[in-house]
Amino acid sequence: MDVIAWLRGLGLERYASAFRDNDIDGGLLRQLTAEDLRELGVASVGHRRRLLDAIASFDASTPAADPPGRAAETIATLAPARADAERRQLTVMFCDLVGSTELSARLDPEDLREVIAEYHRAVADVVRSLDGFVAKYMGDGVLIYFGYPRAHEDDAERAVRAGLGVIDAVGRLDVGSGKLQARVGIATGLVVVGDLIGEGSAQEQSIVGETPNLAARLQSRAEPNAVVIAAGTRRLVGDLFEYRDLGAVAVKGIAGPVPASQVLRPSAVASRFEALRSGETPLVGRDEELELLRRRWDQAKTGAGRVVLISAEPGIGKSRLAEAFRESLEGEPHTRLRYFCSVHHQDSALFPIISQLERAAGFAGDDSPEAKLDKLQALVSTTDPATDVPLLAELLSVPLDGRYPALDLTPQRKKEKTFEALLRQLAGLAERQPVLMIYEDLHWADPTSRELMDLTVEHVARLPALLIATFRPEFQPHWTGQPHVTTLSLRRLGRDESDELVRGIIGNVGALSSEVIDEIVERTDGVPLFLEEVTKAVLETAALGAIPAASATVPATLHASLMARLDRLGPMAKEVAQVGAAIGRDFSYELLAAVAQPAEAEVRDALGRLANAGLVFQRGMPPNATFLFKHALVQDTAYSMLLRGPRQALHARIAEALEQRFPTVVEMQPEILAHHFAQGAMPIAAVDYWIKAGDLARRRSAYAEATAHLVKGLELIPALSDLKARTAKELTIQTALGQLYMATKGYGSAEAEAAYARASDLCEQIDDRDQFMRVLIGLRG
Ligand SMILES: Nc1ncnc2c1ncn2[C@@H]1O[C@H](COP(=O)(O)OP(=O)(O)OP(=O)(O)O)[C@@H](O)[C@H]1O
Ligand SMILES: [Mg+2]
């Protein structure tokens, strides 16, 4: 192969002399790593990328110049894959215009074109408002992704909202003659997404997988103006919506009928916690926290109000704690007020307050304006209803109906007056009996609600009221210094508590072995949400008859939320997280920098972001720093995005870097190299290191580990292409295994006998007398 011509083809002939001076020929080209390229003077990250991509995409059938053996095992033999494609869980939405054939018969083509354009615009507007991605227009069909290019923890909910929104928006389009109708299909699943087609098609982010097909088919099964969702999506949106069960529908191209539901409307459940996480699992731990809340409540009841701020990352149990405390007050006279901030209403002024009032007043969808005003009047408990009712009516967009004089105030003045009215309302309630206010998810509060919150916190101090507010750490309240305010940082559960939680979920559903439970506890780091979801996922696989294991995959219910945390930090941080994830739960800066493709400054910056976002813990400073993924599930998520080709290439680079620069690891932990060589599709090297690892463990009398290492080596034997090497390696392994089984299972055990029998067969095959003698000694004991 002509290296110079190849470089020219890539537009990178400027490196020709460097390649020539370093004796890089066509054969060696296939083995080049990012590190080599850097040494060759390819300083630009983009150029290194281009070269590595081109190397990785060599046709595997092109003969390599090297003889078979270790040297031929390089990243070049791996399947070509584009680096910018990813595996992801996506919610895919497909929407179509009803009766377009009939429309095309009726309309002049030019008018039809305009109608379609308007319809496309309407769809795109709705989708954009929910941060979805219009991937493709196909005639009157539109393909939309939620979860790419940026994931959100609530992608499935966003897609369903978009579906309802599209039906509504299309129905309101004014096309002169008649109304338009749409239908929508939505499905969630794992896909490969990215620029799959190659150069110049970056606009068209295509996906591969069953999910888009399912969404399209469900769409075609939907009635006009209906949103039909697949079971996978349905599970993610819980009770956020009301549904009609469509049973199992037959879908072309997919084996077996698939359960589907039609989404009717958003449900009346206001609490995200209740809609999505109303699992009836017993409460674990949290005694001290409940005790603290109890004390604050007792203090508040005397008229010296208290505020407790509960802060913690998602899934730790903030809502659950607030709920548990609320339940503990049942049977005790008090008024409960609950406010829910929503990620979708961060720009809508006083959204949590308005929806609380609407619920408290008992507004129904079909109430007339008069009925609403009546209900509001009944609700208002202030000393000054003549001022407050009109203010609150205006807040809730209820017409005053001539019953009250219209308000004539500047916007600023009106806001102040409304705040006063709301605070008076609170005071009025507190006068009757103690008030418990629960304010959920303050990190999503709109700016006006935050202003009101400032006043409320102040106000509460003089009332018999306890205000509990929950939020994630990204929100930093400035009330913490006040004497009546307590901050409660909720910690993760301990090992025993985690164990108890898992056992609580398993209940009598089915037993899991203690090993599997330990594995779940290990992998979920004391985060109750992770514990719950991983346990449920493991139970489901067990119910399907598979061997339950916690290490399989990231549960679908957690995927979006974990992915969102990575996406938020930008592509470079995500890439660095993937490299770290391939190395392991903890990784050193030194190794990471040696194998990561981005330049060092970028790697440092990316690691800084990951640490700041709390995804990894950092110890020390680069170049001596080490990092640890805070959650195993974040590591798994980052790793799971890698496609096979780049993933194998990455492991191969890690293995090679370890071999070249980390002699202590080579000597003391050969199993680490074995793992990376195996994952890097370099079985020859992997087998050698598994043998080394087995030997080392045996010499340390760690027989179980030694056996495990050797068995892994044995599993790779069929992957060796060279027959002679294959026989020789297997013989080494079987002999060593024979000895180990003799030591652990006993002389004459079935395992030892099988290993020696196989070894003696192999000896015959290669006619190795020395080895045969050794085997014979083994056989005789
Ligand atoms: N102490 C606990 N014992 C048993 N289950 C718990 C406990 N804490 C939380 N859970 C469960 O874990 C899940 C997550 O809890 P929760 O929704 O309260 O988290 P959160 O901190 O409010 O998260 P977010 O930031 O997303 O609102 C829920 O299903 C909840 O029932
Ligand atoms: Mg919560």
Side-chain angles (χ1 to χ4, degrees), residues 271-273 277 313-320 440-441 443-444 470-472:
S271 150
R272 189 171 56 91
F273 175 76
R277 297 178 182 167
E313 58 179 302
I316 292 279
K318 303 179 290 293
S319 305
R320 178 68 189 255
E440 278 261 48
D441 298 324
H443 48 279
W444 289 324
T470 70
F471 49 87
R472 297 181 181 169

Short mmCIF file of all heavy atoms in Angstrom, two decimals, residues 271-273 277 313-320 440-441 443-444 470-472, ligand 2:
data_model
loop_
_atom_site.label_atom_id
_atom_site.label_comp_id
_atom_site.label_asym_id
_atom_site.label_seq_id
_atom_site.Cartn_x
_atom_site.Cartn_y
_atom_site.Cartn_z
N SER A 271 -48.37 15.77 41.31
CA SER A 271 -47.05 15.48 41.85
C SER A 271 -46.30 14.51 40.97
O SER A 271 -46.76 13.42 40.69
CB SER A 271 -47.22 14.89 43.26
OG SER A 271 -46.18 14.02 43.56
N ARG A 272 -45.12 14.94 40.54
CA ARG A 272 -44.28 14.09 39.71
C ARG A 272 -43.94 12.81 40.46
O ARG A 272 -43.91 11.72 39.91
CB ARG A 272 -43.00 14.87 39.39
CG ARG A 272 -42.09 14.24 38.38
CD ARG A 272 -40.99 15.24 38.00
NE ARG A 272 -40.26 15.70 39.17
CZ ARG A 272 -39.16 15.11 39.64
NH1 ARG A 272 -38.66 14.06 39.04
NH2 ARG A 272 -38.55 15.57 40.71
N PHE A 273 -43.70 12.97 41.75
CA PHE A 273 -43.38 11.81 42.59
C PHE A 273 -44.51 10.79 42.56
O PHE A 273 -44.29 9.60 42.36
CB PHE A 273 -43.10 12.29 44.02
CG PHE A 273 -42.87 11.17 45.00
CD1 PHE A 273 -41.66 10.49 45.01
CD2 PHE A 273 -43.85 10.82 45.91
CE1 PHE A 273 -41.46 9.45 45.91
CE2 PHE A 273 -43.64 9.79 46.82
CZ PHE A 273 -42.44 9.11 46.81
N ARG A 277 -43.36 7.63 40.65
CA ARG A 277 -42.60 6.81 41.59
C ARG A 277 -43.42 6.32 42.75
O ARG A 277 -42.96 6.22 43.88
CB ARG A 277 -41.42 7.61 42.15
CG ARG A 277 -40.48 7.99 41.05
CD ARG A 277 -39.36 8.82 41.58
NE ARG A 277 -38.47 9.23 40.50
CZ ARG A 277 -37.56 10.16 40.64
NH1 ARG A 277 -37.42 10.77 41.79
NH2 ARG A 277 -36.79 10.48 39.64
N GLU A 313 -29.16 15.18 45.41
CA GLU A 313 -29.22 14.88 43.98
C GLU A 313 -30.46 14.03 43.66
O GLU A 313 -31.09 13.50 44.58
CB GLU A 313 -27.93 14.21 43.53
CG GLU A 313 -27.63 12.93 44.27
CD GLU A 313 -26.35 12.28 43.77
OE1 GLU A 313 -26.29 11.99 42.58
OE2 GLU A 313 -25.44 12.08 44.58
N PRO A 314 -30.77 13.92 42.37
CA PRO A 314 -31.99 13.20 42.00
C PRO A 314 -32.03 11.78 42.55
O PRO A 314 -31.01 11.09 42.56
CB PRO A 314 -31.92 13.14 40.46
CG PRO A 314 -30.97 14.20 40.05
CD PRO A 314 -30.06 14.44 41.20
N GLY A 315 -33.21 11.38 42.99
CA GLY A 315 -33.40 9.98 43.36
C GLY A 315 -32.97 9.59 44.76
O GLY A 315 -33.09 8.45 45.16
N ILE A 316 -32.47 10.54 45.54
CA ILE A 316 -32.01 10.21 46.89
C ILE A 316 -33.20 10.02 47.83
O ILE A 316 -33.11 9.32 48.84
CB ILE A 316 -31.11 11.34 47.44
CG1 ILE A 316 -29.80 11.39 46.67
CG2 ILE A 316 -30.86 11.19 48.92
CD1 ILE A 316 -28.77 10.38 47.11
N GLY A 317 -34.32 10.66 47.52
CA GLY A 317 -35.49 10.43 48.35
C GLY A 317 -36.01 11.69 49.04
O GLY A 317 -36.60 11.62 50.12
N LYS A 318 -35.82 12.84 48.42
CA LYS A 318 -36.32 14.08 49.00
C LYS A 318 -37.84 14.05 49.07
O LYS A 318 -38.44 14.32 50.12
CB LYS A 318 -35.89 15.29 48.12
CG LYS A 318 -34.40 15.39 47.92
CD LYS A 318 -34.02 16.57 47.04
CE LYS A 318 -34.40 16.42 45.59
NZ LYS A 318 -33.67 15.35 44.88
N SER A 319 -38.45 13.72 47.94
CA SER A 319 -39.92 13.71 47.90
C SER A 319 -40.46 12.64 48.83
O SER A 319 -41.47 12.86 49.51
CB SER A 319 -40.40 13.43 46.49
OG SER A 319 -39.84 14.34 45.59
N ARG A 320 -39.78 11.51 48.85
CA ARG A 320 -40.25 10.40 49.68
C ARG A 320 -40.23 10.80 51.16
O ARG A 320 -41.14 10.49 51.92
CB ARG A 320 -39.36 9.18 49.44
CG ARG A 320 -39.70 7.97 50.27
CD ARG A 320 -41.04 7.40 49.85
NE ARG A 320 -41.50 6.37 50.77
CZ ARG A 320 -41.48 5.08 50.51
NH1 ARG A 320 -41.01 4.64 49.37
NH2 ARG A 320 -41.91 4.21 51.40
N GLU A 440 -42.18 21.54 46.25
CA GLU A 440 -41.32 20.55 45.59
C GLU A 440 -40.54 21.13 44.41
O GLU A 440 -41.07 21.94 43.65
CB GLU A 440 -42.20 19.39 45.08
CG GLU A 440 -42.53 18.38 46.16
CD GLU A 440 -41.63 17.16 46.09
OE1 GLU A 440 -40.40 17.33 45.98
OE2 GLU A 440 -42.17 16.04 46.14
N ASP A 441 -39.30 20.67 44.29
CA ASP A 441 -38.46 20.94 43.11
C ASP A 441 -38.25 22.43 42.84
O ASP A 441 -38.48 22.93 41.74
CB ASP A 441 -39.06 20.26 41.87
CG ASP A 441 -39.10 18.75 42.02
OD1 ASP A 441 -38.16 18.21 42.63
OD2 ASP A 441 -40.07 18.12 41.57
N HIS A 443 -35.70 23.94 42.28
CA HIS A 443 -34.73 24.26 41.21
C HIS A 443 -35.43 24.57 39.90
O HIS A 443 -34.81 25.10 38.99
CB HIS A 443 -33.73 23.10 41.03
CG HIS A 443 -34.38 21.76 40.95
ND1 HIS A 443 -34.79 21.07 42.08
CD2 HIS A 443 -34.73 20.99 39.90
CE1 HIS A 443 -35.35 19.93 41.70
NE2 HIS A 443 -35.33 19.85 40.39
N TRP A 444 -36.70 24.23 39.78
CA TRP A 444 -37.44 24.54 38.55
C TRP A 444 -38.41 25.72 38.75
O TRP A 444 -39.24 25.98 37.87
CB TRP A 444 -38.24 23.32 38.08
CG TRP A 444 -37.39 22.22 37.55
CD1 TRP A 444 -36.23 22.35 36.83
CD2 TRP A 444 -37.62 20.80 37.68
NE1 TRP A 444 -35.74 21.11 36.50
CE2 TRP A 444 -36.58 20.14 37.01
CE3 TRP A 444 -38.62 20.03 38.29
CZ2 TRP A 444 -36.49 18.74 36.94
CZ3 TRP A 444 -38.53 18.66 38.21
CH2 TRP A 444 -37.46 18.03 37.54
N THR A 470 -38.02 21.13 48.74
CA THR A 470 -37.05 20.17 48.20
C THR A 470 -36.42 20.73 46.93
O THR A 470 -37.08 21.44 46.17
CB THR A 470 -37.70 18.83 47.83
OG1 THR A 470 -38.54 19.01 46.68
CG2 THR A 470 -38.53 18.26 48.96
N PHE A 471 -35.17 20.43 46.74
CA PHE A 471 -34.51 20.86 45.50
C PHE A 471 -33.21 20.09 45.32
O PHE A 471 -32.69 19.50 46.25
CB PHE A 471 -34.24 22.37 45.50
CG PHE A 471 -33.58 22.88 46.74
CD1 PHE A 471 -32.21 22.87 46.86
CD2 PHE A 471 -34.35 23.35 47.80
CE1 PHE A 471 -31.60 23.33 48.02
CE2 PHE A 471 -33.75 23.80 48.97
CZ PHE A 471 -32.37 23.79 49.08
N ARG A 472 -32.72 20.11 44.08
CA ARG A 472 -31.45 19.47 43.76
C ARG A 472 -30.31 20.46 44.00
O ARG A 472 -30.56 21.67 44.03
CB ARG A 472 -31.48 19.00 42.30
CG ARG A 472 -32.55 17.95 42.09
CD ARG A 472 -32.58 17.47 40.66
NE ARG A 472 -33.64 16.49 40.47
CZ ARG A 472 -34.05 16.06 39.29
NH1 ARG A 472 -33.47 16.52 38.19
NH2 ARG A 472 -35.00 15.17 39.21
MG MG B 2 -38.53 14.59 44.17
#
